[in-house]
Amino acid sequence: MPQSALEDDSLVVPKGGKQQPAGAERFFKFQRQVENLDIELCNFANAARHLGSSVGILSSASKLRDRLTNIMFLLRENAACLFPRQVIRHSREGRLNPDVMDDDGRRAAWRRHRPLPLDDNLQPETLPSHLGNFADDVKNFVKCLNEFPEFDDVAVNQSMIEFEGNLRYWAVHLKEYTNQFRSAAVQRYVHDLTSEIGYHVDNVTVTLAMFIEIGVPTISSHQQHAAANLLNLSTVATFFSGVTATTLQFSYSTTSGKLADIVNTLWFSSLVFSIAAAVNSLLGLTWKQAMYRSPGHRVPWWVSIWIKRSPLVFLVMSIASFSAGLMLFTYSSGQGSVTSTIITVLTAITSFGLAAVSAWFASERWIFVRHSGQKWLGDVIAEFMARVTNLRIVRGMRITMKWCNTCFLSMRAFLRRFSRAVRVTMIRENAVLPLHNQPDQPQAFRHPCPTSSHHTDFQEPQPPLPSHDVAISSSESVTPSALSDQCSDRNITPGNIDARQRFVNAVRTVIMLGAASRPSSALEIAELGMPRRSANGFVKWDMLAPVMDQVAHQALVRHLQFSPNGKLLATAGWDKKSVLFRVTGPRELTAHRVLFNGKGLIGQVAWSPNGQEILVRLPRAIRVWSEDGVCMRSIVREQPIQSVAWLPNGEGFLSVEGSNVVRIDLMEGTVSDTYNLGQIQLCGVAVTQDCVRLVGVGPSITREGGPHPSCHIRVEKRIIVYNMVTKTKESQTPLADDIRDVAMARKRPLVLLSLEKAPPQIWRLEIIKDRDRDCTTSRITLKHAFVTKIPVEYAGSCCFGGCDDQFVVCAGKIGDIHVWDRDSAALLHFISPQSGKGDLACIGWNGGLKGLKTAMFATGSHHGMVRVWSTEIPVDERDEESLDEP
């Protein structure tokens, strides 16, 4: 017998050659992912340390590493509780992986630094708060990263923002299990989160590595370029201050006259401005290169303007003052008139150019700030000119100028014709030169194409040209070039056209022959009902084989279920009808009634506990039918119905509608009670035999305004035990896998979970005493998860099998069927996909054949076929035979 998977961990063989559970290997993989992220954060801190204004990003990276240390410690404690033999608990020394050593026994080089400190209060219940704080640290890291305007990395921002949102989602939902972090179910869910957290950790690690390789050099180059500009400006200002000081030696002693005073004033002002430009340039250079400087948006506007703009403004003012003083100095020093005039003209030209370029530069800056870089200065000038042109007075001036231009052109043309006529008249009268060619005479045109008479001898009919050629030729103008092209087209002989047509016909014939000779599809072969070889997995189930195929529907068989007494089989198809079959024996199945349900696809059928009524679930309605095919009642609901379930006492049934479970009375057909299970989108419920509690499953719903998971992350699922008497939730358990349905065993408090992409699980519902409130309550714990031989894509819901629900049966979409023992989780029988009809959609076990004691179940397929499986020898007899075997 195979070993039961009590911890849901199959054995794998790692590289070291030692066997360890896959769950422990998942934690070790997550540990390596966190170590890689820690290495990249260290590399990022070392690379960004020489950048200006890098103290913020360094501090946020350090906080990220500290938070990773705390979370890693909590997740290691959680994994050590689940796998104590594989995962070793560590002391609170604060290392992410203190046992990583080199081959020679020494710790890795990147781990030889001081250990990161741990928080004092690191309990399992603090994991949600640490995840929320980690989300805040990630947000702060992104904020500090975006404070570098020189480089905008979309990949880093996107991965970090997505990681932050998912961390908040996990933190919010884990807070609802504050007192359950020491239970195995919550610990298993937290352990499952490591794979999803590791996915984000890998993304952040890769994007950080790319940022270190590309972003940091780009930011450094930009900052070095800005520093080089300030350094060059300081050099020019220093040089110009020396020139100004040298020139002052020729004029500072001359104080007689107002013109000399103005010259000294201008040159002294130039010296002051040049010195200020040099000093401010050096100050700005030092400030930009400081790692502790504040980011640009955190600096007061006047400080930012003074540091960034004052050096260039002071240098321009210094040059302007010096040029004006130099021009006036030519007059105050008694220079010649030619010298003074030339210097004045040159000063005016250079000053105008300097003013124009400065105005253009200032305008570009203003346009950039106003339009956020969306428009250029030339575009703004063009728009301004267009608005000016559209003014009424400007339009009137343009119309007047156009009219004047037209009059002028008309007058000039009239004068030309008049002068030419006068000249021709004078020539004729004098008869000096005869006119050989008149300009108004039409010239004969010789068409390059042969006339139609050249084609009259051709008697073979030509096939008509394609319609698009005719349309094109009719829309074109008749020109000599076009006529020559048409003549060239006429050179195509009928033989060439016939050859092309024969080739097209041959290709079509080959395609038709290939379609006719193609083998029939799998759907057509399945409808022929060809027998298939049965697979003998084990000795006890070697007689299990398909005994009958029945075409029940013209579309997919969505659901099927046997009646409690095993005498009827009900099917639900997407052809808007349900079919009742009568089971007359282990090998016989005959049609009994067809139930037409009008509009809407049928999603489920459910027999009552006494087998006299059957529910048919429609999208927004429930119909109650008798076993003879009589519609007893039709109940319309306002909300969509996800599932229906009978109460074990048969007095009514439950309708699952979103987060609510509506209890409907069978006799009256009215709502007798409503149960709200909170923030959950229910997909199915199961009721205990005493009708006191129900178990609901489904994905959780995020509150309005709360965080939502990204598309790469699985939504949290929940198993809720609800007391219908007190209307309270007694327990809720998180689950990572997608849930399809839930079922309850008839004689034992065991819950069967059908999952989307994982084998089914058996959970135990236990009634315990609540000492705080002095009452009884319940809790649900995982008994075991089943293991499949091959990866399975499950079809429909799994179900209990056997007279006492001692089996668990599930079907795969490709036709594979698994039968397990419920208590030991041993695989009793496996039907390979080749032996059964593939394309399965649902499965149902006949648990009511108590007299015959045979194993019997049915499967439904996508093309409407229902196949019945059965055994020849009763189950009890096979058990007795197996006991007699040596």
Side-chain angles (χ1 to χ4, degrees):
M1 291 290 182
Q3 184 181 0
S4 62
L6 297 179
E7 292 183 344
D8 191 15
D9 297 313
S10 58
L11 297 178
V12 297
V13 181
K15 293 182 179 180
K18 298 180 180 180
Q19 291 187 348
Q20 54 184 347
E25 180 62 28
R26 180 186 301 176
F27 171 77
F28 294 141
K29 179 181 178 181
F30 174 72
Q31 185 178 18
R32 292 189 294 269
Q33 292 171 335
V34 173
E35 289 174 1
N36 294 333
L37 178 59
D38 185 77
I39 293 175
E40 291 301 330
L41 286 174
C42 291
N43 295 337
F44 178 80
N46 295 330
R49 197 174 300 277
H50 67 278
L51 299 177
S53 184
S54 60
V55 64
I57 196 67
L58 295 177
S59 176
S60 60
S62 177
K63 290 182 179 179
L64 279 180
R65 296 184 64 239
D66 293 341
R67 193 69 61 186
L68 272 176
T69 304
N70 296 327
I71 293 177
M72 190 64 198
F73 180 83
L74 292 175
L75 293 179
R76 172 176 282 275
E77 290 292 315
N78 183 80
C81 293
L82 292 175
F83 317 105
R85 291 179 296 178
Q86 289 79 28
V87 181
I88 303 175
R89 298 178 184 270
H90 281 167
S91 60
R92 306 170 64 89
E93 59 182 358
R95 291 187 177 89
L96 289 176
N97 189 14
D99 57 344
V100 173
M101 295 186 178
D102 295 333
D103 296 333
D104 56 353
R106 297 178 300 175
R107 296 191 184 276
W110 63 278
R111 283 297 179 196
R112 295 173 189 166
H113 53 75
R114 181 178 58 85
L116 297 176
L118 288 173
D119 292 347
D120 296 332
N121 185 20
L122 278 181
Q123 300 298 327
E125 291 77 11
T126 61
L127 180 61
S129 61
H130 280 286
L131 291 178
N133 295 334
F134 191 34
D136 295 335
D137 295 338
V138 171
K139 182 179 180 180
N140 185 39
F141 183 81
V142 175
K143 184 179 179 180
C144 294
L145 201 62
N146 292 330
E147 289 178 349
F148 291 99
E150 298 86 358
F151 186 78
D152 185 15
D153 195 336
V154 180
V156 175
N157 290 342
Q158 184 177 359
S159 61
M160 287 287 190
I161 293 174
E162 185 178 356
F163 192 19
E164 176 208 350
N166 291 327
L167 284 172
R168 296 192 186 279
Y169 174 79
W170 294 323
V172 168
H173 286 273
L174 284 176
K175 284 182 180 179
E176 301 185 13
Y177 309 99
T178 303
N179 299 325
Q180 305 180 34
F181 277 91
R182 300 184 187 278
S183 64
V186 178
Q187 288 177 347
R188 192 177 296 105
Y189 175 72
V190 172
H191 179 69
D192 291 337
L193 288 182
T194 56
S195 60
E196 299 183 353
I197 298 176
Y199 167 80
H200 284 290
V201 168
D202 282 342
N203 288 342
V204 174
T205 302
V206 173
T207 52
L208 270 181
M210 294 178 60
F211 186 84
I212 295 173
E213 184 179 356
I214 301 175
V216 173
T218 302
I219 297 173
S220 178
S221 176
H222 189 278
Q223 292 183 354
Q224 290 177 2
H225 177 72
N229 290 338
L230 289 175
L231 185 60
N232 294 335
L233 193 61
S234 175
T235 302
V236 173
T238 304
F239 173 76
F240 195 76
S241 63
V243 173
T244 305
T246 303
T247 310
L248 269 174
Q249 296 179 3
F250 298 98
S251 64
Y252 77 95
S253 58
T254 304
T255 57
S256 59
K258 295 183 178 180
L259 196 59
D261 293 339
I262 294 175
V263 170
N264 290 331
T265 301
L266 291 174
W267 280 357
F268 275 114
S269 300
S270 176
L271 181 60
V272 172
F273 286 141
S274 61
I275 293 175
V279 173
N280 286 333
S281 298
L282 293 177
L283 180 62
L285 177 63
T286 305
W287 181 76
K288 280 185 173 295
Q289 293 179 344
M291 63 175 295
Y292 50 81
R293 71 172 174 88
S294 302
H297 65 279
R298 298 181 181 271
V299 180
W301 63 271
W302 59 272
V303 175
S304 178
I305 292 177
W306 183 267
I307 293 176
K308 295 180 179 179
R309 308 301 173 199
S310 64
L312 182 60
V313 173
F314 286 159
L315 183 59
V316 172
M317 294 175 65
S318 175
I319 294 174
S321 300
F322 181 81
S323 299
L326 183 63
M327 179 189 66
L328 296 177
F329 182 73
T330 58
Y331 293 98
S332 64
S333 60
Q335 302 294 325
S337 58
V338 176
T339 303
S340 300
T341 303
I342 293 175
I343 296 301
T344 302
V345 171
L346 294 178
T347 303
I349 294 174
T350 55
S351 300
F352 174 78
L354 181 62
V357 172
S358 300
W360 180 269
F361 179 77
S363 301
E364 285 183 335
R365 178 68 181 177
W366 180 72
I367 293 298
F368 173 80
V369 173
R370 182 173 182 179
H371 298 282
S372 300
Q374 300 295 326
K375 291 184 178 181
W376 298 99
L377 179 58
D379 298 335
V380 176
I381 295 175
E383 292 177 359
F384 175 76
M385 295 301 297
R387 287 196 298 267
V388 171
T389 305
N390 292 328
L391 294 177
R392 183 176 298 178
I393 184 173
V394 177
R395 289 203 305 268
M397 293 177 61
R398 290 177 61 188
I399 293 173
T400 303
M401 293 178 61
K402 186 176 181 180
W403 180 80
C404 294
N405 187 28
T406 304
C407 293
F408 173 75
L409 294 178
S410 300
M411 183 63 66
R412 188 175 63 176
F414 173 75
L415 293 176
R416 285 182 178 180
R417 288 195 299 269
F418 179 76
S419 61
R420 186 173 57 183
V422 171
R423 189 166 55 252
V424 170
T425 303
M426 292 177 61
I427 292 173
R428 287 180 178 178
E429 290 178 355
N430 295 330
V432 177
L433 293 174
L435 288 174
H436 296 285
N437 295 327
Q438 295 295 334
D440 297 335
Q441 289 181 354
Q443 297 181 357
F445 173 73
R446 183 178 181 85
H447 202 286
C449 180
T451 60
S452 60
S453 61
H454 294 167
H455 301 276
T456 55
D457 297 336
F458 182 56
Q459 299 297 331
E460 292 186 22
Q462 296 184 0
L465 294 175
S467 58
H468 62 275
D469 294 337
V470 176
I472 294 175
S473 62
S474 62
S475 63
E476 294 177 347
S477 60
V478 180
T479 61
S481 60
L483 291 174
S484 62
D485 294 339
Q486 293 179 6
C487 294
S488 62
D489 294 340
R490 293 176 184 175
N491 294 330
I492 301 175
T493 62
N496 295 334
I497 297 178
D498 293 342
R500 183 174 58 184
Q501 188 65 28
R502 288 196 301 271
F503 176 75
V504 172
N505 294 336
V507 172
R508 292 178 179 175
T509 303
V510 171
I511 294 175
M512 295 177 63
L513 290 176
S517 61
R518 188 178 304 163
S520 301
S521 61
L523 180 62
E524 297 172 352
I525 295 175
E527 292 180 353
L528 295 177
M530 297 177 62
R532 306 211 178 187
R533 185 180 61 183
S534 61
N536 298 326
F538 297 95
V539 177
K540 288 187 176 183
W541 295 85
D542 56 351
M543 300 302 295
L544 182 63
V547 296
M548 186 178 184
D549 291 335
Q550 185 75 34
V551 178
H553 299 274
Q554 298 177 355
L556 178 142
V557 182
R558 183 65 181 86
H559 188 245
L560 55 83
Q561 187 181 40
F562 285 92
S563 61
N565 57 13
K567 296 181 179 181
L568 292 175
L569 170 65
T571 63
W574 278 6
D575 53 356
K576 302 180 182 180
K577 66 179 181 181
S578 300
V579 182
L580 299 182
F581 293 95
R582 186 173 297 277
V583 182
T584 57
R587 289 177 171 270
E588 299 179 6
L589 195 69
T590 58
H592 177 57
R593 293 288 188 273
V594 179
L595 312 179
F596 294 96
N597 295 274
K599 298 181 180 180
L601 300 177
I602 302 175
Q604 182 185 0
V605 290
W607 286 97
S608 61
N610 57 13
Q612 298 179 1
E613 296 89 11
I614 182 173
L615 300 178
V616 176
R617 176 174 64 87
L618 299 173
R620 291 180 183 268
I622 302 174
R623 292 195 175 184
V624 184
W625 296 80
S626 67
E627 60 179 344
D628 295 328
V630 179
C631 184
M632 303 171 57
R633 184 171 287 104
S634 180
I635 303 172
V636 180
R637 302 296 303 163
E638 297 180 357
Q639 301 295 329
I641 304 173
Q642 282 77 31
S643 178
V644 292
W646 281 93
L647 295 174
N649 56 17
E651 297 178 356
F653 54 90
L654 303 178
S655 174
V656 179
E657 303 173 6
S659 301
N660 297 323
V661 179
V662 181
R663 184 169 182 170
I664 300 177
D665 184 78
L666 178 62
M667 302 300 295
E668 301 294 335
T670 57
V671 176
S672 59
D673 210 341
T674 301
Y675 313 109
N676 184 271
L677 273 66
Q679 300 295 319
I680 184 174
Q681 181 69 32
L682 292 170
C683 60
V685 294
V687 187
T688 58
Q689 293 298 317
D690 55 1
C691 297
V692 175
R693 296 174 176 85
L694 64 85
V695 179
V697 296
S700 61
I701 302 176
T702 304
R703 299 182 184 272
E704 186 176 358
H708 294 270
S710 63
C711 58
H712 304 95
I713 298 303
R714 294 177 295 181
V715 180
E716 179 203 18
K717 288 79 182 178
R718 294 181 180 179
I719 309 173
I720 296 179
V721 181
Y722 186 86
N723 192 313
M724 294 187 292
V725 178
T726 61
K727 291 187 177 182
T728 57
K729 289 192 296 184
E730 294 184 342
S731 69
Q732 61 179 0
T733 303
L735 197 65
D737 296 315
D738 296 331
I739 304 176
R740 188 188 297 270
D741 200 2
V742 60
M744 182 79 70
R746 288 175 291 184
K747 297 182 179 181
R748 294 187 61 183
L750 297 178
V751 178
L752 173 63
L753 287 188
S754 301
L755 306 179
E756 292 280 353
K757 300 179 180 179
Q761 298 177 357
I762 290 291
W763 292 68
R764 181 186 295 107
L765 182 62
E766 299 175 340
I767 307 300
I768 58 177
K769 184 175 181 59
D770 189 352
R771 297 180 180 178
D772 298 334
R773 295 181 294 181
D774 193 19
C775 62
T776 59
T777 184
S778 62
R779 68 182 180 186
I780 189 168
T781 58
L782 178 65
K783 179 178 174 61
H784 48 242
F786 300 98
V787 179
T788 58
K789 299 179 65 175
I790 59 175
V792 180
E793 187 176 1
Y794 297 93
S797 303
C798 303
C799 62
F800 284 109
C803 301
D804 298 327
D805 295 340
Q806 68 270 28
F807 306 133
V808 172
V809 187
C810 75
K813 292 184 178 180
I814 61 175
D816 49 331
I817 300 174
H818 293 77
V819 181
W820 293 281
D821 183 75
R822 182 194 64 188
D823 297 328
S824 64
L827 183 61
L828 301 178
H829 191 61
F830 171 70
I831 301 176
S832 61
Q834 293 78 13
S835 61
K837 285 204 171 186
D839 207 18
L840 297 184
C842 57
I843 189 171
W845 188 281
N846 189 352
L849 298 179
K850 298 181 180 180
L852 298 177
K853 296 182 180 180
T854 57
M856 180 180 182
F857 61 88
T859 59
S861 63
H862 282 262
H863 50 268
M865 183 77 69
V866 174
R867 167 168 277 199
V868 179
W869 298 72
S870 180
T871 55
E872 289 285 340
I873 305 175
V875 177
D876 292 349
E877 294 181 9
R878 289 204 312 273
D879 293 341
E880 293 175 0
E881 292 176 0
S882 62
L883 293 175
D884 295 337
E885 293 178 358

